[in-house]
Amino acid sequence: MNVRYHVKLTRDERAELRLLLQGGPLAARKFKRAQILLAADAGMSDDDIATSVGIGASTVYRTRRRFIEGNLTAALSEEPRRGAERKLTEKEEALLVATACASPPTGRARWTLELLADEMVRLTSHEGLSRETVRRRLAENHIKPWRKSMWCIPKVDAEYVAQMEDVLDLYAEAADPQRPVVCFDESPVQLIGETRQPIPAKPGRIERYDYEYRRNGTANLFVLIDVNRPWRKVKVTERRTAKDFAECMRELVDVHYPKAERIRVVLDNLSTHKAGALYQAFPPDEARRLLRRLEFHHTPKHASWLNMVEIEIGVLSQQCLDRRIDSHARLVRETAAWEKRRNAERSRINWMFTTEKARAKLGRAYPKVPAKPTKKQRVKTSVQRY
């Protein structure tokens, strides 16, 4: 047997390899290299080792060589692989990024990987470019030109800050049954019916429903939650007019909080969410009676996230409304059952954002107060006359 690299393991190395083979999950290549070293230490030939382990003789030769020229760790680990050269140079990658961030070609809504590959072939000397090359280079630069996100940029001025801190201070107050804090908002719902009866789920088969549906109109949800106790109310209406809003406020005063002195209501700046809506719906004496017990606190424009009820509406949408509901009556039943269960579970929203955190995180956006000019002091000097 003509073997150039003779493997002689120490007692510790032999024990380490055996422990490695007896251990838990291990990469297949590392497992085979451990077997090769133990077999070579036992005096087996390369061909015999290759046959017993199920690999090629060249692999046995390389494992022996790496052990002799290096150590046990080098023999068990992977050799660094050079890999193919990058097809795009740094300048070409910069051109790809600039192209992906620019407007797409006329007639196309957005860039795709294929469009970008074709554009790079046109702009560079490459005869061809794969979509995978484009995808990898864009991923390295965290660019996905086929995705868009819609968001609102609020104008953070003194009025924005004043309304924000007013709402946050309400949330931070201690609970007072005579002056409860209630968050209010509304959400539209489409009434969707089935054109064909869905097929229920069975063992081994998921539920199936037809992609066609029937639109049965719309409805509106008025949602209220108490900031300081586990209570919420969902009222279903056909519309969301000023009269509907006023009727909801009257129920809040006379039905839900009949003994409260003053109800602080947090709501957004929708045109119907005003005190004047009560005068549109009720006689002046009745409107004035309700408004004496209501105190409206509006969130800033583009800051609906400050209204705690937005979180509750998200939970309602996920747990109850994420399906096809075909009628107004069924919507009333389903939301009432959800409301009853959620109140019985005493679920509450754990609000963490405070005025102090707002000033820390949004400090740069706060309006800058000009510094007061310092008064210049006159210094009396005496000039000696001659």
Side-chain angles (χ1 to χ4, degrees):
M1 181 178 62
N2 185 13
V3 179
R4 180 177 179 182
Y5 297 103
H6 293 275
V7 174
K8 289 297 180 182
L9 299 173
T10 64
R11 182 181 299 176
D12 293 340
E13 290 173 339
R14 199 175 294 113
E16 181 180 349
L17 289 174
R18 288 171 180 167
L19 185 64
L20 197 66
L21 295 178
Q22 296 173 1
L26 190 65
R29 292 183 179 180
K30 194 171 185 179
F31 189 88
K32 290 182 180 295
R33 292 190 190 104
Q35 290 179 319
I36 291 171
L37 293 175
L38 286 173
D41 180 62
M44 294 178 62
S45 65
D46 289 2
D47 294 336
D48 293 339
I49 296 174
T51 302
S52 62
V53 178
I55 42 98
S58 60
T59 302
V60 179
Y61 175 82
R62 287 195 301 270
T63 305
R64 287 178 180 269
R65 175 176 56 80
R66 293 183 64 192
F67 177 76
I68 298 301
E69 294 179 354
N71 52 27
L72 183 61
T73 303
L76 293 174
S77 60
E78 290 279 348
E79 288 183 336
R81 301 185 180 186
R82 181 170 176 269
E85 294 184 359
R86 297 172 76 95
K87 195 161 187 179
L88 297 179
T89 64
E90 292 184 0
K91 290 185 178 180
E92 290 171 342
E93 286 187 21
L95 177 61
L96 173 63
V97 171
T99 303
C101 294
S103 300
T106 304
R108 299 301 291 264
R110 61 187 61 83
W111 286 107
T112 64
L113 296 178
E114 289 79 5
L115 276 178
L116 287 169
D118 294 340
E119 187 69 9
M120 289 300 295
V121 169
R122 189 182 69 83
L123 296 175
T124 63
S125 59
H126 291 286
E127 295 182 358
L129 201 64
S130 68
R131 67 189 304 277
E132 182 63 15
T133 299
V134 174
R135 186 194 68 80
R136 288 176 180 270
R137 301 293 83 80
L138 292 178
E140 290 176 358
N141 292 276
H142 307 286
I143 295 177
K144 295 180 180 180
W146 51 89
R147 295 188 61 185
K148 291 184 179 180
S149 177
M150 181 181 293
W151 62 299
C152 294
I153 305 175
K155 181 182 179 182
V156 183
D157 53 10
E159 186 64 24
Y160 182 101
V161 170
Q163 290 181 322
M164 177 182 67
E165 294 200 350
D166 174 55
V167 172
L168 293 178
D169 285 348
L170 281 180
Y171 294 163
E173 286 185 10
D176 184 357
Q178 294 299 318
R179 295 171 56 83
V181 179
V182 177
C183 293
F184 169 87
D185 204 2
E186 54 195 43
S187 178
V189 178
Q190 291 195 58
L191 301 176
I192 302 297
E194 303 286 357
T195 57
R196 296 177 179 86
Q197 189 66 25
I199 302 175
K202 292 183 179 180
R205 189 178 69 181
I206 63 174
E207 180 186 5
R208 292 181 291 176
Y209 62 94
D210 199 280
Y211 72 95
E212 292 186 7
Y213 60 87
R214 181 175 61 254
R215 190 170 184 271
N216 297 333
T218 60
N220 177 68
L221 301 180
F222 286 127
V223 185
L224 304 98
I225 64 168
D226 193 308
V227 171
N228 295 306
R229 65 187 181 99
W231 175 86
R232 73 267 305 130
K233 178 64 182 177
V234 181
K235 181 182 179 181
V236 182
T237 61
E238 295 182 356
R239 295 171 300 275
R240 55 172 188 173
T241 62
K243 183 178 180 181
D244 296 314
F245 168 76
E247 192 63 43
C248 189
M249 291 297 103
R250 181 160 69 174
E251 291 182 7
L252 180 66
V253 171
D254 295 339
V255 178
H256 304 306
Y257 294 91
K259 298 180 179 180
E261 296 177 359
R262 195 81 167 174
I263 306 170
R264 278 87 59 83
V265 184
V266 177
L267 66 175
D268 60 21
N269 290 276
L270 197 64
S271 59
T272 57
H273 296 174
K274 306 294 182 183
L278 279 75
Y279 282 91
Q280 296 180 36
F282 308 124
D285 292 343
E286 176 69 1
R288 192 70 252 161
R289 179 186 72 83
L290 296 173
L291 287 173
R292 286 194 183 100
R293 296 184 55 202
L294 291 172
E295 183 179 298
F296 293 149
H297 294 260
H298 293 91
T299 60
K301 189 177 180 181
H302 298 316
S304 59
W305 57 272
L306 280 168
N307 196 338
M308 201 180 292
V309 76
E310 291 285 344
I311 303 174
E312 192 70 18
I313 292 176
V315 177
L316 171 63
S317 300
Q318 182 180 9
Q319 294 183 351
C320 178
L321 304 179
D322 189 18
R323 52 182 163 160
R324 293 177 179 177
I325 299 178
D326 57 353
S327 65
H328 187 277
R330 186 185 174 193
L331 180 62
V332 171
R333 292 195 307 270
E334 296 291 345
T335 53
W338 177 87
E339 171 196 313
K340 182 179 180 180
R341 182 183 183 90
R342 186 125 168 107
N343 284 336
E345 293 173 349
R346 302 187 62 81
S347 302
R348 295 185 58 181
I349 295 172
N350 185 20
W351 186 264
M352 304 293 290
F353 197 64
T354 62
T355 301
E356 291 73 20
K357 290 183 178 180
R359 292 176 180 177
K361 291 187 176 183
L362 305 178
R364 294 182 179 179
Y366 269 60
K368 302 298 184 291
V369 180
K372 294 182 179 180
T374 57
K375 295 182 179 180
K376 295 183 180 180
Q377 295 182 353
R378 290 186 176 183
V379 180
K380 294 184 179 180
T381 57
S382 58
V383 179
Q384 187 175 3
R385 296 183 178 180
Y386 295 95

